[in-house]
Amino acid sequence: MTDMHPSVRRPAANREVVVGTECVTPVKVWQPWIRLLHWTLVGTVVVLSLTGFYIADPVVLGGDGGGLMATVRFVHVLAGWMLITVLVGRLYLAFAGNPWARWPQLLPVWRERRAQLWHTVRYYAFLEKHPAEVVGHNPMAGLAYVGLFGMLAVQAVTGIALVAVTDRDGWEWAATGWVFQLLAVPEVRLLHHLVMWFTWTFVVFHVYAATLVDRVERGGEISSMVGGWKMMPTGRIEEELSRDAARRRRRRR
Amino acid sequence: MTGAAVAGPTQAEPPAAPGPEAGPLAALGIRRRSFLTWTARITALLALPATLRPQVAQAVEAAVASGERPTLVWLEFQDCTGDTESFLRARNPSVSQVILDLVSVDYQETIMAGAGEAAEASKAAAIARGGHIIVVEGSVPLGAGGGYCVIGGRSAEQILTEAVKGAAAVINVGTCSAYGGLPAAAPNPTQAVAVPDVVQGVPMVNLPGCPANVDNITATLVHYLTFGQLPPTDEQGRPLFAYGERIHDNCPKRGHFDAGQFALAFGDEGHRKGWCLYKLGCKGPSTWHNCSTQKWNGGTSWPIQAGAPCVGCSEPGFWDTMTPMYARLPDVTGVGQDLSAEKIGLGLVGATAVGATVHGVVKVARTRRQLAAEAPAVPPPPPPLPPTERDATDDQTPAGAR
Ligand code: HEM
Ligand code: HEM
Ligand code: SF4
C-alpha cells in the first residue's frame, strides 16, 4: 500500500481484517462535510415539507391564531435559504471534495461506472445476487442524487420566485421574474407543490435502498452516513483511489 | 402608492383653497371645492406626489378652457359591456362630468344617441382627424375569417386596424381586450386574441379586470391629459399606479391571513367573522390590482369585503390558470382527467412505498433461500443456527461480497 490517500487510515495491526479470503480496511468514505450536509439536508427537507404543507392547506387553531401563518412562512423561507446553502456547498464538494464526493461519483462518465450501473439495475431486478462492489455511491444512487439536486434546484428557483411576488422591486424579482413569463403564479405554486411530492418519492426509495444494502447486504451504509467509515476490500479501495489520482493527473497536464 | 400621496391631500384640504367660483369649471356647474377634492384623490390614485396636485388641476382646467377636447372612440368587440357599465358608474357624478366633457366621446355604441350610418360616420370622421384615443372593450376573434364579431359589415380585426391609424393612444379596458379574457379561454372556439396581438406601434396601456375599475380609467385619462403620455406600466402593460401591488398586500383581511384565521366554508363562523378567504380559493396572493384600496362602486365595497374570494380577474389567462375559482391550486390537466397535486403526490409516494416493500420481501426471502442452499457446504455447528436471516448472514456471507 504505497501512496496512500489520506482518507484511508494506514491499517494498524488490528485494523486490517481478513474476511474469508479478502483483506478489508476501514476507509473514511464520507468526509465530515458530506455528512453534515446530508443530515442538514434531511432536516431542511423535513421542515420545508411540514411548513410547506401548512402553507398549502393551513389548519385553523382556535383563539387569535397566534400569528401562525406569518411564522410558518418565515420559517419556511429561512429553511429554504438553508437548503440553498446546502446545495451550493454540495456543488463545491463535487469539485473539491474527497474522491467519493467528486462529480464522477454522481455522473457515470467512466466505462467502469457504467458497467456498475448496469450491474445495479440487474441487482434490483433480482438478476444479480449482490450489488456492484463500490466504495462510494453506486452509480444508480449517484444518478438519483443528480435528479434530487435538480428537483431541489427547481424548488429553490420557484421558491425564490414565490418570495419575489411580494415585492416586484426586489432583487428576487429581478432574478426569478422570468419564471412568470413561463407559468402563471398559481401554476408556479402547483409546480412547487408537486416537486415536494416528487422529493418524497425519492426519499422513500432512498431510505429503502439504504436499509436494504445495510441490513441485507451488510454494507454498513447507514452507519457510514453517521460516522463516515466503511469496511471495504483493500484492493477495491486502492483501485478507486488510483483511478481518481489518474484523472487528476490527466487534468493537471 | 406612497403613504404621503394617500394620506396627504385627500383628508386635509385646506379651507383657504377654494378660489372664486368662476372660470371654465364653474361654467360646467362644478364647484371649486369638489373639483380640488377630486384632483387630490386622482393624484393620490395615480401614486403621484401630493405636490403634483396643482399641476393635475391646472392641466385639467387648461384642457377644459382650451375647448380642444381629445376625441375618444370606444370600440366594443367580444365583450359583455361590463366595462361600459363600470365607466358609467364614476365615483363622483358631478366631477365625472369633467372627464366626459374633457374627452369628446364620439363613438360609444351603448350610450351614444346616434345609430346606424350616422354613428359610423361620426366614428369615421373622428378617425380621419387623427390624434384620437381608442378605448377597446372585448377581444378580437380571428376565427371564421373574423365572422364571429361583425359590426357594420366589417370584422372586429378590420375595424380595429383602421381605427388605430393615426391614433394617439390605445387603452384596453377589461381583461378581454388586454389579454383575451373569457372568449380566449381554452378551447377558445372563436380564436379570440387580445388587442396587442393585432395592433402594435401605438402607445398602449392595459386596464384589465372584470370589469376595469372606472377610477383607474379616469386616472389614466387624467394622466394622459396632464403629462401627454400614458402612465408607466409593468411587464403586462398595466399601469403601476393601479396594478403595482397585489390585492393580498393591501387586503383588509391580511391580518387574519398572517394570524392563521381562515374561513373554511362559505357561511361558517370564520366566514361570518370576516376571516381570510385563502382556503376558499382566494387568488388575491396571485393578483396585482388595487381593488383592496380603491374598492368598487364609488368605494362602497368590493368582492373580498363581501365575502367572495378574489378570482384573479385582472391576470392574463385567469380563466385557465386561476381555476377552480374556489380551490387554492389548479389541477393537473391534460392527463385524461383533472388530478389534484395531492392525488398525484400520494399516488407516487404510495406506489413507491408498496414497490419497495414488495421488493424487500422478495429480496429477504431469496437471500434466505440462497443461504439455505449454500449451507450444506459448511458443516452445521452442533447447536442448530437460529433461523434469523441476520445471524445467518453474519456467519456465512463474506463481508467483502456486499
Ligand atoms: C429527506 C431525506 C433525505 C434526503 C433528501 C437524502 C439525500 C441524500 C443525498 C443527496 C445523498 C448523497 C450524499 C452526497 O453525496 O452528498 C444521500 C446519501 C445517503 N443517505 Fe440520504 N437522504 C435522506 C434521508 C436519509 C435517511 C433517513 C437515511 C438513513 C436511513 C439516509 C441514508 C443515506 C446513506 C446511507 C447515504 C449514502 C448512500 C450511498 O452510498 O449512496 N438518507 N442521501
Ligand atoms: C425541499 C424543498 C421545498 C419544499 C418541499 C417546499 C414545499 C412547499 C410547499 C408544499 C408549499 C406550498 C405550495 C402551495 O400549495 O401553494 C411551499 C410554499 C412556498 N415555498 Fe417552498 N418548499 C421548498 C423549498 C423552498 C425554497 C428553497 C424557498 C425559497 C427560498 C421556498 C419558498 C416558498 C414560498 C415563499 C412559499 C409560499 C408560496 C405562496 O405564497 O403560496 N420553498 N413550499
Ligand atoms: S382574503 Fe385573499 S387577498 Fe385577502 S388576505 Fe386572504 S388570501 Fe389575501
Side-chain angles (χ1 to χ4, degrees), chain B residues 85-182:
Chain B
E85 290 287 342
S86 177
F87 188 56
L88 298 177
R89 272 155 189 68
R91 180 185 277 242
N92 181 333
S94 73
V95 181
S96 77
Q97 196 62 35
V98 174
I99 279 303
L100 290 176
D101 281 304
L102 272 182
V103 293
S104 150
V105 182
D106 282 20
Y107 184 86
Q108 211 310 354
E109 284 165 19
T110 308
I111 58 171
M112 68 191 167
E117 276 167 17
E120 293 299 314
S122 84
K123 183 175 74 177
I127 292 167
R129 281 196 305 275
H132 52 296
I133 299 172
I134 303 271
V135 175
V136 190
E137 176 177 4
S139 63
V140 182
L142 301 181
Y148 291 112
C149 180
V150 175
I151 304 158
R154 279 172 318 145
S155 75
E157 190 188 2
Q158 285 170 326
I159 297 172
L160 180 62
T161 351
E162 282 161 29
V164 297
K165 282 193 195 117
V170 176
I171 301 175
N172 297 318
V173 293
T175 302
C176 295
S177 56
Y179 306 131
L182 172 61

Side-chain angles (χ1 to χ4, degrees), chain A residues 29-30 34-35 37-39 41-43 45-46 90 93 100-101 106 134-138 141-142 144-145 148-149 152 199-200 202-203 206-208 210-211 214 220-226 230, chain B residues 402:
Chain A
V29 192
W30 312 121
I34 287 282
R35 284 176 282 141
L37 290 185
H38 180 262
W39 295 113
L41 182 63
V42 176
V45 168
V46 168
R90 186 61 185 87
L93 288 184
W100 294 289
L106 298 176
V134 290
V135 179
H137 308 306
N138 78 57
Y145 302 143
L148 175 75
F149 292 138
L152 295 179
T199 307
W200 281 98
F202 160 86
V203 172
H206 173 66
V207 173
Y208 167 68
T211 314
D214 189 284
E221 327 295 294
I222 294 181
S223 64
S224 83
M225 240 327 145
V226 179
K230 270 189 192 174
Chain B
R402 310 161 27 256

Side-chain angles (χ1 to χ4, degrees), chain A residues 19-20 22 24 53-61 63-71 73 123-134 162 164-168 173 180-181 184-187 189-190 193-194 196-198 200-201 204-205 208 212-213 215-221 230-233, chain B residues 234-236 238 240 243-246 248-249 254 256-264 275 278-279 283 285-288 315-316 320-322 328-332 340-342 344-346 348-349 352-353 355-364 366-367 370 374 389-390 393-394 397-402:
Chain A
V19 179
E22 265 184 304
V24 296
F53 213 84
Y54 172 83
I55 296 172
D57 199 5
V59 290
V60 179
L61 308 179
D64 64 358
L68 193 55
M69 179 56 96
T71 312
R73 287 178 63 98
Y123 168 72
Y124 279 104
F126 305 114
L127 297 172
E128 299 280 352
K129 282 189 184 150
H130 299 291
E133 189 174 85
V134 290
L162 288 173
V165 295
T166 58
D167 173 18
R168 288 191 292 177
W173 182 265
F180 300 106
Q181 307 283 318
V185 186
E187 290 169 333
R189 294 207 167 96
L190 176 64
H193 195 114
L194 278 174
M196 172 183 74
W197 286 114
F198 299 159
W200 281 98
T201 308
V204 168
F205 183 78
Y208 167 68
L212 175 74
V213 180
R215 305 312 303 159
V216 179
E217 301 297 340
R218 322 245 101 216
E221 327 295 294
K230 270 189 192 174
M231 295 292 283
M232 291 303 292
Chain B
D234 66 4
E235 292 98 331
Q236 313 287 358
R238 302 174 290 200
L240 289 167
Y243 302 85
E245 289 177 356
R246 291 178 308 166
H248 183 67
D249 296 328
R254 178 59 186 266
H256 294 298
F257 173 85
D258 287 337
Q261 295 174 313
F262 303 99
L264 303 176
W275 286 0
Y278 187 70
K279 289 197 72 152
K283 304 299 187 303
S286 307
T287 307
W288 282 270
E315 291 296 311
D320 296 326
T321 61
M322 303 264 181
R328 261 207 74 245
L329 289 183
D331 288 331
V332 175
S340 74
E342 253 59 54
I344 294 179
L346 287 172
L348 275 176
V349 171
T352 314
T357 310
V358 171
H359 189 275
V361 167
V362 173
K363 189 72 206 172
V364 168
R366 281 178 153 244
T367 310
Q370 198 181 302
E374 285 164 6
E389 156 262 324
R390 168 184 183 148
T393 323
D394 273 348
T397 314
R402 310 161 27 256

